[in-house]
C-alpha cells in the first residue's frame, strides 16, 4: 500500500521518526521510511503528539460572556445566577453556532477529543438536544462526548430528576451531577446514588462536578469513591474539580487518598477557572482553589485537565488552548520539576484519553487512527514553557489545520556591536 501522507523528521517521545498515514490510519513508524507518498511534510525536528483532550468544557455556555451581564463578583454562584438568566433565551441554533465556533477554536489549538457538559435543568432540553446534533455534525473531525449535567441539582427543581433520565435516553454519553449544590447534604448523597443508578441502567460513563467549593466539610468525593468501588464502575467514573480536597485537613486527606486508590476513579482539574473562582471568601492567606493534583498524580491516580469555560458567566477569559490549562496546572500545582512538567502535559493528552475511556482509539502507533498534532518545538517541556503554535492538526488522516509561526522582524540594530 502506498501511504497518502508521510511526516518526516518528527520527534516522538524524544526519538526522531517518520510516520506514514493511509486511509485514516497510521501504517508505519520508523526512523527512516523508504516509502514515498504524494504528500510529504518535513517537520525538521518538531514535536509530534497525540491530540489534546479537553476533558471538561461547557459548550452550551461558551462565548456568552457579558450576556446579559458580566460576573462582577467573580464567584461560582453569581455565574450560576447569570447563566440562569441567559438560558431563558437559549435557542437551538444559538447553542449550535457557539458550540461549533468553540470547537473550531479548540481544534485549531490541537484538541480533537472533547467532553462537554450540557445543562439539563431546563424542561426544553435545548442545550442537550443542540449539543447532540453538534456531536453528529463534527464527528468527521472531532470526537465529542456529552455529559447530562443538572446545573441546578437533580433535586433542586421538581422536574430535574426526570429530565436527567430523559437526557440519557436521548443519547448523552455520561451522567453528571453537582452534589455540593443540592439543597441539603442528604440530597447531595442521594443525587450521587441516583447518578450511579442511571449509569448502570443505561450503561453510561459518570462525570460529576464534585465539591467545587472551598468548604472543607464538602465531602461528596468519598461518596463518589465508595459508589465507584461498590458498583465496580471504577475507571468509568470521574470526579471533576474536587477543589475542597485542597482544603481538607491532612489526616482526612490521607485516609481519603487510600480509598481513592482502591476506587480507581479519574480526576479532572480545571486550574484556569478554579484559581479565579475559589478563595473568593478568603482574605489572606488565600487558597489556590485546586484539588491535590500533584498528590493524586504521585499516588498513581489518573488526573486530566480541562479549560471548563471559554468566555462565559464563570470565566470571561479563555482561549480553548489546552496548553493554557497545562501551564496553569504546572504553576498552581507547583509541578515545576521536569518529570512533573511532562506529567502535566500528559494530563492534557494521554490521561485525558483515559478519563474519556477512549482506549484504542487514541495514541500514535501503527494501526491506530491517524489523529495527531505537530507543535512548533522539540519537546513537551518546551511546549509547556513556550506554548508554541500547533503547526499541523491531522484528524482522521487528513490535514485539518495548518498554522504558520508569527515572524519577528527587528526594525533597528540593537544589542552589542
Ligand atoms: Fe464545569
Amino acid at each position: 500500500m502506498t501511504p497518502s501522507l508521510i511526516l518526516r523528521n518528527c520527534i516522538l517521545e524524544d526519538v526522531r521518526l517518520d510516520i506514514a498515514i493511509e486511509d485514516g490510519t497510521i501504517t508505519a513508524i520508523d526512523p527512516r521510511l523508504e516509502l514515498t507518498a504524494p504528500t510529504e511534510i518535513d517537520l525538521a525536528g518538531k514535536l509530534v503528539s497525540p491530540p489534546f483532550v479537553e476533558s471538561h468544557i461547557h459548550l452550551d455556555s461558551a462565548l456568552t460572556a457579558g450576556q446579559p451581564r458580566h460576573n462582577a463578583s467573580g464567584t461560582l454562584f453569581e455565574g450560576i445566577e447569570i447563566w440562569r438568566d441567559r438560558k431563558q433565551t437559549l435557542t437551538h441554533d444559538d447553542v449550535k453556532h457557539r458550540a461549533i465556533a468553540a470547537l473550531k477554536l479548540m481544534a485549531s489549538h490541537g484538541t480533537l477529543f472533547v467532553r462537554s457538559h450540557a445543562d439539563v435543568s431546563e424542561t426544553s432540553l435545548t442545550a442537550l438536544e443542540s449539543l447532540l446534533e453538534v456531536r453528529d455534525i463534527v464527528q468527521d473531525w472531532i470526537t465529542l462526548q456529552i455529559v447530562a449535567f443538572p446545573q441546578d441539582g437533580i433535586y433542586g427543581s421538581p422536574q430535574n430528576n426526570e429530565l436527567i433520565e430523559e437526557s440519557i435516553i436521548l443519547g448523552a454519553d455520561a451522567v453528571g451531577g453537582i452534589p455540593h449544590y443540592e439543597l441539603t447534604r442528604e440530597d447531595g448523597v442521594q443525587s450521587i446514588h441516583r447518578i450511579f443508578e442511571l449509569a448502570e441502567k443505561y450503561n453510561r460513563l459518570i462525570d460529576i462536578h464534585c465539591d467545587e467549593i472551598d468548604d472543607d466539610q464538602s465531602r461528596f468525593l468519598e461518596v463518589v469513591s465508595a459508589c465507584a468501588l461498590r458498583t465496580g464502575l471504577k475507571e468509568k467514573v470521574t470526579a471533576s474539580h474536587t477543589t475542597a480536597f485542597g482544603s481538607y485537613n491532612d489526616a482526612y486527606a490521607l485516609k481519603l487518598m487510600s480509598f481513592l486508590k482502591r476506587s480507581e476513579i479519574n480526576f479532572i482539574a480545571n486550574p484556569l477557572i478554579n484559581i479565579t473562582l475559589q478563595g473568593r471568601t478568603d482574605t489572606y492567606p488565600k487558597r489556590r482553589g485546586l484539588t491535590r493534583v500533584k498528590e493524586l498524580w504521585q499516588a498513581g491516580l489518573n488526573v486530566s485537565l480541562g479549560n471548563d469555560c471559554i468566555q462565559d458567566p464563570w470565566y470571561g477569559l479563555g482561549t480553548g488552548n489546552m496548553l493554557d490549562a497545562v501551564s496553569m496546572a504546572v504553576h498552581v500545582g507547583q509541578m515545576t520539576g521536569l518529570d512533573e512538567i511532562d506529567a502535566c502535559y500528559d494530563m492534557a493528552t494521554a490521561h485525558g484519553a483515559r478519563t474519556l475511556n477512549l482506549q484504542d482509539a487514541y495514541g500514535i502507533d501503527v494501526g491506530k487512527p491517524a489523529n495527531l498534532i505537530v507543535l512548533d518545538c522539540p519537546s513537551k517541556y518546551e511546549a509547556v514553557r513556550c506554548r508554541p503554535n500547533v503547526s499541523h492538526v491531522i484528524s482522521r488522516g487528513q490535514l485539518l489545520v495548518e498554522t504558520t509561526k508569527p515572524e519577528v522582524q527587528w526594525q533597528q540594530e540593537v544589542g552589542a556591536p
Side-chain angles (χ1 to χ4, degrees):
M1 290 255 294
T2 305
S4 54
L5 173 64
I6 293 179
L7 303 176
R8 297 212 181 267
N9 295 310
C10 325
I11 301 293
L12 178 64
E13 300 294 343
D14 299 324
V15 179
R16 192 174 281 246
L17 296 163
D18 295 346
I19 299 174
I21 293 167
E22 174 69 23
D23 277 342
T25 302
I26 297 170
T27 51
I29 302 177
D30 194 85
R32 177 62 198 165
L33 284 174
E34 297 303 326
L35 303 164
T36 57
T39 306
E40 299 198 8
I41 304 173
D42 184 357
L43 295 175
K46 289 182 183 176
L47 178 68
V48 167
S49 164
F52 290 123
V53 179
E54 170 58 81
S55 296
H56 189 119
I57 193 87
H58 294 255
L59 288 175
D60 51 358
S61 54
L63 309 177
T64 64
Q67 302 171 6
R69 62 188 183 279
H70 283 281
N71 186 333
S73 69
T75 60
L76 173 71
F77 301 108
E78 185 176 345
I80 292 175
E81 283 169 23
I82 294 170
W83 178 238
R84 198 172 285 146
D85 291 342
R86 176 58 175 85
K87 69 187 178 185
Q88 303 308 317
T89 62
L90 222 54
T91 67
H92 191 93
D93 282 353
D94 167 34
V95 176
K96 185 166 86 175
H97 292 140
R98 284 186 291 99
I100 291 174
L103 288 168
K104 287 177 75 173
L105 185 65
M106 292 151 71
S108 73
H109 294 308
T111 297
L112 292 181
F113 298 92
V114 176
R115 176 178 285 178
S116 174
H117 294 255
D119 184 358
V120 296
S121 47
E122 280 303 307
T123 48
S124 60
L125 291 179
T126 303
L128 178 93
E129 290 184 347
S130 184
L131 289 183
L132 290 176
E133 187 192 343
V134 169
R135 186 178 65 185
D136 291 340
I137 291 170
V138 303
Q139 64 181 337
D140 290 339
W141 53 278
I142 197 164
T143 300
L144 179 59
Q145 287 184 355
I146 309 291
V147 185
F149 172 52
Q151 174 77 74
D152 299 332
I154 291 179
Y155 302 110
S157 298
Q159 76 277 10
N160 287 0
N161 194 8
E162 285 95 58
L163 285 171
I164 190 165
E165 183 158 10
E166 192 182 335
S167 303
I168 301 303
I169 293 167
L170 284 170
D173 301 282
V175 192
I178 186 165
H180 59 279
Y181 196 63
E182 296 286 353
L183 294 172
T184 66
R185 156 92 197 167
E186 288 72 22
D187 283 359
V189 173
Q190 194 182 337
S191 77
I192 294 169
H193 289 297
R194 175 69 172 146
I195 290 161
F196 275 82
E197 177 189 298
L198 288 170
E200 288 196 296
K201 184 175 176 185
Y202 296 102
N203 189 26
R204 295 294 199 272
L205 301 169
I206 290 174
D207 191 333
I208 300 173
H209 282 64
C210 188
D211 301 317
E212 189 186 7
I213 189 165
D214 294 318
D215 177 10
D216 65 351
Q217 294 302 312
S218 185
R219 295 184 174 183
F220 294 104
L221 178 55
E222 65 181 20
V223 184
V224 171
S225 170
C227 288
L229 192 58
R230 288 177 184 146
T231 57
L233 290 180
K234 293 187 163 187
E235 73 285 349
K236 293 189 182 328
V237 178
T238 296
S240 281
H241 295 288
T242 65
T243 56
F245 199 179
S247 295
Y248 295 158
N249 67 70
D250 285 334
Y252 175 69
L254 188 69
K255 181 195 80 167
L256 179 62
M257 194 67 89
S258 69
F259 292 169
L260 296 173
K261 281 196 256 185
R262 287 170 57 199
S263 72
E264 298 174 31
I265 63 171
N266 306 294
F267 289 81
I268 299 171
N270 300 288
L272 285 161
I273 176 139
N274 285 126
I275 191 72
T276 62
L277 277 183
Q278 309 309 133
R280 289 279 175 166
T281 55
D282 294 352
T283 53
Y284 288 92
K286 222 180 231 305
R287 284 170 285 182
R288 291 167 180 248
L290 195 68
T291 193
R292 298 189 184 210
V293 170
K294 187 194 281 197
E295 291 76 11
L296 287 165
W297 167 69
Q298 287 171 335
L301 284 150
N302 186 50
V303 184
S304 54
L305 298 174
N307 276 288
D308 202 2
C309 307
I310 304 174
Q311 294 183 290
D312 71 9
W314 295 273
Y315 186 65
L317 306 168
T319 63
N321 187 339
M322 285 307 297
L323 284 176
D324 289 352
V326 173
S327 177
M328 189 59 77
V330 166
H331 288 84
V332 183
Q334 297 185 329
M335 294 185 70
T336 49
L338 290 182
D339 58 337
E340 293 170 345
I341 289 173
D342 280 3
C344 288
Y345 184 94
D346 293 343
M347 288 176 195
T349 52
H351 296 196
R354 206 169 134 194
T355 297
L356 268 60
N357 281 237
L358 296 176
Q359 284 131 2
D360 291 343
Y362 186 84
I364 299 180
D365 217 339
V366 173
K368 296 220 176 200
N371 299 309
L372 50 89
I373 60 174
V374 181
L375 292 101
D376 204 354
C377 65
S379 66
K380 294 177 186 176
Y381 162 72
E382 288 294 344
V384 176
R385 187 180 75 84
C386 302
R387 277 177 273 170
N389 283 331
V390 172
S391 64
H392 301 78
V393 178
I394 293 167
S395 173
R396 285 62 165 159
Q398 304 286 325
L399 184 58
L400 180 68
V401 184
E402 189 168 354
T403 301
T404 50
K405 189 178 181 177
E407 199 176 328
V408 177
Q409 292 185 332
W410 283 92
Q411 302 298 309
Q412 294 182 36
E413 291 287 333
V414 294

